Amino acid sequence: DEDAQEDVRRFALLGLFPPDLEMRQLLEDLYSEQIAGFYKIEEREMVVVAGGDFGISERLTYAHEYVHALQYANYDFENDLGYSEEACETDSERCAAIQALIEGDANFTQLKWFETHATHKDILEFLTNVESYESPVLDSAPPYLSASLMFPYNVGTTFVEHLFDMGGYDAIHQAYTTTPPVSTEQVMFPERYPDDIPLEINLPDLSLSLGSGWDIDQEGVVGAWDIYMMLSQGYEERFQIDAEEALFAAEGWGGDSYAFLSHENDDERLFVIKTVWDSEKDSLEAWEAFSKWLDLRFGTADGIGIYSNEEVFARVFKTGNNGFILIISEGLESLNRVYDFLNE
């Protein structure tokens, strides 16, 4: 429960969750509603949630999970792909791309199975199921949460379809073995795969600039997908810029590094992200998108460029080399300290 509420606190700082969200209960309800089946790796066992009949929906799920069984039988995800719980804590961006490959492959193949083997009766049953399908928990969840849950399935499927169109199953096989995707940008924009490699961006130890009592809680890479989410999927519609504009800005992503920090005694949180974009034009487009997003969330900045509402402060500034830094903090003093430290 404590970890769940810390996640809410961080996402609320970014405008993606309401601060009073009951995260753990929502996730339990959401997974209970959405999960149709799963494959247990260690036990080599698949589970399909079914009612009285094993109809077309259950058979589609079975096909999906069977692909997972084949994947784990043929590829060493942990050692060759570096896809493990420990590795994903270190590099969540790369793991999000690999997860999209895994789920996109299973989705793509289950649809191929349906195209090849579904009977007329199956098709009618499937259409009836689609027409009557309801998902009240997913529909009421914060947009960021619901979109991120579906990312590896929806966007991953489009990515795998692109691979298949370019080189058939051999191209999909190569994505598992020789050229795995390394960023959500490559998944979102398949034409950038595999050549557009993210730049490695480093943040200095910000706790040094903030003084005693501050700790780094999380650090890593936000990535193109979550940048798109930040800009277009705020929990209130008034925080959201146009989705196409956000997607256009995210496509020019070159790399980033972020950190969440907290001061336990003062009960204060701070977020900072350092970004680099592919070109000066891409950097300008992203700058304009983030500036519009900040205006929507906070209103116009003051004379020195600080955005604020009653509880949160923000500042964005350019760094040269097609980059800029965004700071969002629950305290004005901490924001100014980090700004001075990074703007030296």
Side-chain angles (χ1 to χ4, degrees), residues 46-65:
M46 69 178 74
V47 175
V48 175
V49 180
D53 297 323
F54 201 77
I56 187 59
S57 294
E58 291 79 12
R59 287 156 59 210
L60 276 166
T61 301
Y62 178 80
H64 183 104
E65 301 308 325

Side-chain angles (χ1 to χ4, degrees), residues 12-26:
L13 191 60
L14 303 183
L16 294 169
F17 286 176
D20 58 351
L21 181 69
E22 293 292 335
M23 180 71 162
R24 181 168 177 174
Q25 186 61 55
L26 174 60

Side-chain angles (χ1 to χ4, degrees), residues 39-41 44 65-78 83 102-103:
Y39 179 68
K40 299 166 74 173
I41 301 170
R44 298 294 190 264
E65 301 308 325
Y66 202 98
V67 175
H68 286 324
L70 292 171
Q71 291 167 341
Y72 284 104
N74 286 276
Y75 305 116
D76 188 341
F77 282 15
E78 184 170 351
Y83 187 71
I102 293 169
E103 296 296 351

Side-chain angles (χ1 to χ4, degrees), residues 331-342:
L332 179 59
E333 183 180 350
S334 57
L335 180 137
N336 285 331
R337 284 183 180 178
V338 172
Y339 172 78
D340 291 340
F341 178 65
L342 293 176

Side-chain angles (χ1 to χ4, degrees), residues 142-156:
Y144 172 84
L145 188 60
S146 55
S148 294
L149 179 69
M150 302 309 296
F151 170 78
Y153 302 92
N154 294 342
V155 185

Side-chain angles (χ1 to χ4, degrees), residues 195-234:
D195 297 327
D196 192 340
I197 305 299
L199 298 172
E200 183 176 345
I201 310 301
N202 294 307
L203 275 172
D205 185 351
L206 299 172
S207 61
L208 299 176
S209 68
L210 289 166
S212 62
W214 282 91
D215 293 310
I216 297 174
D217 295 331
Q218 280 187 2
E219 55 187 344
V221 176
V222 171
W225 172 254
D226 271 358
I227 281 177
Y228 166 71
M229 291 282 99
M230 284 175 61
L231 294 172
S232 66
Q233 302 297 317

Side-chain angles (χ1 to χ4, degrees), residues 182-202:
V182 295
S183 70
T184 55
E185 181 190 37
Q186 290 184 345
V187 176
M188 295 167 67
F189 311 103
E191 65 279 2
R192 294 183 174 270
Y193 166 86
D195 297 327
D196 192 340
I197 305 299
L199 298 172
E200 183 176 345
I201 310 301
N202 294 307

